[in-house]
């Protein structure tokens, strides 16, 4: 299979616009008229509610706009300084294995972080990627995906240098552990550097999905 189109959106992308475009692209992939796509964006500050969102975990509903995302998972934050990666793949041609898909996304993040000087890891039973800090484990990347007729959309987010105080309006993903970022870990990584690391490890991620 050919590699997906790699596209980086300039500036900040409004969440409703991103959701509509992502759904349109996914529909085109299903119809065979659009190529698979990896779409990298930044959003203005907002919260999204996944299909398992618990209203009690929206601590400050007035802080930022809240959007129903339609993906799996609970509440999460998106905002400037956070790289959001929308992954639109035809999993009917890549193994039809949702667990393998999520594991491939985790491994992709971990490989990119390692190149940037961070040792990421997974915690059994908790989706996402974590790092060790003096205060204990902290989450640096979140994953939330949705499949329609074996086409994936939504994807993952990596905290490059967001304002971590913006997470305070929710209990992120329903978990008590804190969140962190590359910047908070003392690594002044640019968004372009993070993107380049992800791009270099994309072939390995896709190789894990070969049927």
């Amino acid at each position: 299979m050919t590699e997906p189109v790699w596209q980086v959106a300039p500036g900040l992308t409004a969440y409703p616009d991103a959701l509509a475009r992502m759904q349109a692209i996914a529909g085109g992939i299903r119809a065979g008229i659009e190529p698979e796509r990896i779409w990298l964006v930044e959003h203005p500050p907002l919260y999204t509610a996944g299909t398992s969102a618990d209203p009690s975990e929206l601590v400050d509903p007035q802080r930022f706009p809240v959007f129903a995302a339609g993906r799996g998972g609970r509440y999460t934050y998106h905002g400037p300084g956070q790289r959001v990666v929308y992954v639109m793949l035809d999993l009917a041609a890549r193994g039809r294995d949702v667990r393998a898909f999520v594991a491939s996304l985790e491994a992709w993040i971990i490989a990119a972080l390692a190149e940037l000087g961070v040792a990421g890891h997974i915690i059994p039973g908790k989706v996402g990627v974590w790092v060790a800090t003096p205060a204990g484990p902290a989450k640096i990347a979140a994953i939330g995906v949705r499949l329609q007729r074996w086409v994936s959309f939504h994807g993952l987010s990596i905290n490059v240098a967001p304002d971590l105080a913006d997470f305070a309006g929710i209990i992120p993903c329903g978990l008590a552990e804190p969140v962190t970022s590359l910047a908070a870990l003392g690594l002044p990584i640019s968004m372009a550097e993070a993107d380049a690391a992800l791009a270099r490890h994309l072939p390995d991620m896709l190789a894990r999905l070969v049927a």
Side-chain angles (χ1 to χ4, degrees):
M1 295 184 66
T2 59
E3 282 201 4
V5 172
W6 180 272
Q7 183 176 6
V8 180
L12 300 179
T13 302
Y15 188 78
D17 295 344
L19 192 60
R21 185 163 186 264
M22 184 168 43
Q23 290 171 330
I25 293 170
I29 293 170
R30 285 193 297 273
I33 59 175
E34 282 274 3
E36 296 178 306
R37 192 176 305 256
I38 308 293
W39 187 28
L40 296 86
V41 308
E42 284 181 84
H43 289 305
L46 58 94
Y47 298 130
T48 66
T51 54
S52 302
D54 182 338
S56 68
E57 293 167 0
L58 182 58
V59 178
D60 185 359
Q62 305 304 316
R63 190 181 187 110
F64 298 126
V66 182
F67 297 94
R71 54 157 176 79
R74 296 162 92 160
Y75 285 104
T76 193
Y77 165 80
H78 295 315
Q82 181 191 70
R83 175 52 84 208
V84 177
V85 184
Y86 292 128
V87 181
M88 290 161 276
L89 299 177
D90 180 7
L91 296 186
R94 295 186 181 274
R96 292 179 182 258
D97 188 330
V98 178
R99 288 186 180 182
F101 176 50
V102 173
S104 74
L105 296 179
E106 291 173 334
W108 185 26
I109 296 166
I110 289 169
L113 290 176
E115 182 176 322
L116 298 171
V118 176
H121 63 274
I122 61 172
I123 296 177
K126 297 180 179 179
V127 176
V129 175
W130 305 74
V131 295
T133 75
K139 193 170 189 176
I140 196 167
I143 295 173
V145 299
R146 183 177 178 183
L147 272 66
Q148 286 186 346
R149 291 166 53 193
W150 289 107
V151 174
S152 69
F153 56 116
H154 295 282
L156 60 94
S157 60
I158 300 175
N159 296 332
V160 178
D163 184 346
L164 295 179
D166 288 347
F167 285 86
I170 57 171
I171 300 175
C173 302
L175 301 172
E177 291 86 352
V179 295
T180 191
S181 67
L182 293 171
L185 295 172
L187 295 170
I189 303 296
S190 70
M191 197 67 74
E193 289 171 321
D195 293 349
L198 285 166
R200 279 189 285 272
H201 292 280
L202 177 63
D204 293 336
M205 187 274 276
L206 298 172
R208 295 185 179 92
L209 299 176
V210 173

